[in-house]
Structure formats: structure tokens, C-alpha cells
Amino acid sequence: MQVQPTVNPFSNESVSAFAAAWFRALDVHAPADECLRLLADDGLEMVFPEKTLHGIGDFLAWYAGGNYSDGSSAPGVVNIFFDEVHTLQSVNVEATSDEAAVEIVVGWQASWFTPPAAKSLRTSMNATQQWRLQRASGEKNLYGLEIRSYNAQLRPFEYAPGFATL
């Protein structure tokens, strides 16, 4: 009987595939339950320019709309942005046996419309992000990883000239 080699979920290749799946889910406005398969059930923290999220409930409010744990409301990013494209540019992984610190540079293009404007706005930027990944519990997803912490703006956004800023 041959034993299959164990794939290191914290390898650059594995983390890159995981990150690509995360950004693909955001681009297509995947159902929230698909996104949840990539996030830690306990101890989740996500830092975005507009809000720091604590836990799955805050993520769901940020993503699809609703109320945050502090009582404030969110329209949901899937209800704001459209024609999104995330392009993974670099992934740098520093791993232990239990977790990985990951620095990611992702290009992001998106449009949004604010009534009663005559036209939508389009942004194009590079964002340097920092993630902390841990092994996923059970058969949560194909990658064996989940995001425990996520800082979407480790450094100031680098906007392309002539595009809108957030």
C-alpha cells in the first residue's frame, strides 16, 4: 500500500491557491456560506479601512449587510461594489507547524454607484494585506486552511492614476 505524501497547507503554493479562492469568492459575490468555509469560526478578526470586524456575525454584516456586534449597520460590500477583479500579485508565507503569517499584495479593481450620481466610479489599486492562517478544522474546505486574522490595509493603498479613491 502506497502512502500519499502529506501536502503542507502552509506552502507558498497552497497558500496562494487558498488566497486565489478567497479573492475569487469576493469577485463573484459568492454566497456567504461559501466564504465562511474559508474563515475561522472562533477568534476571527478582520481589519478593513471602514471597520474592524470581530467574529462571523460581523463578517456577515460587512459582506451581505446587517448589523454589527456594536449595533451599527452595514449595507454589505456585495451591495456596493460590482465588476470586481482581484489579481493576486505576491504571497509571502512565514509558517510554523500550527499557523502562518502571510503578506499578500493584491490588485483590486471595482466599480460602485452612489445615487443620484450620473455615473459609477471605478477604482484600481494595489493593497498589501497581512493574514494569519491556521489549519482548518475537519473537512471545512479543500485547502485545509482558514483565515484567523485579516488586515486588508497593512500599508496605505496604492491607487492607479486617474481612478477613484475610497
Side-chain angles (χ1 to χ4, degrees):
M1 172 182 219
Q2 281 189 324
V3 176
Q4 294 293 328
T6 303
V7 175
N8 176 5
F10 298 130
S11 71
N12 245 38
E13 296 79 18
S14 295
V15 171
S16 293
F18 176 81
W22 171 254
F23 291 127
R24 188 174 326 105
L26 296 179
D27 285 346
V28 301
H29 295 183
D33 63 326
E34 288 184 31
C35 296
L36 294 180
R37 291 187 198 123
L38 305 176
L39 300 175
D41 295 326
D42 297 314
L44 177 66
E45 180 180 85
M46 303 181 89
V47 179
F48 293 99
E50 68 275 20
K51 187 88 168 165
T52 296
L53 313 179
H54 300 282
I56 295 297
D58 278 0
F59 170 77
L60 291 171
W62 174 85
Y63 187 71
N67 290 323
Y68 292 119
S69 57
D70 66 7
S72 61
S73 64
V77 294
V78 298
N79 298 315
I80 298 171
F81 298 106
F82 59 95
D83 291 337
E84 293 185 74
V85 178
H86 288 83
T87 305
L88 193 58
Q89 296 179 7
S90 67
V91 174
N92 182 16
V93 180
E94 292 184 23
T96 67
S97 60
D98 297 328
E99 68 176 17
V102 183
E103 187 172 296
I104 290 174
V105 177
V106 61
W108 181 54
Q109 292 185 340
S111 299
W112 70 96
F113 176 73
T114 306
K119 295 183 178 186
S120 63
L121 297 170
R122 183 110 178 123
T123 194
S124 180
M125 70 168 77
N126 286 339
T128 301
Q129 301 185 347
Q130 184 174 39
W131 300 6
R132 288 228 180 260
L133 301 178
Q134 62 190 23
R135 293 178 188 274
S137 56
E139 299 294 320
K140 194 168 183 181
N141 62 56
L142 297 173
Y143 308 95
L145 296 170
E146 58 189 14
I147 297 169
R148 189 179 74 231
S149 71
Y150 183 101
N151 183 342
Q153 190 177 6
L154 181 63
R155 295 189 187 89
F157 294 145
E158 298 174 15
Y159 290 97
F163 284 86
T165 60
L166 299 178

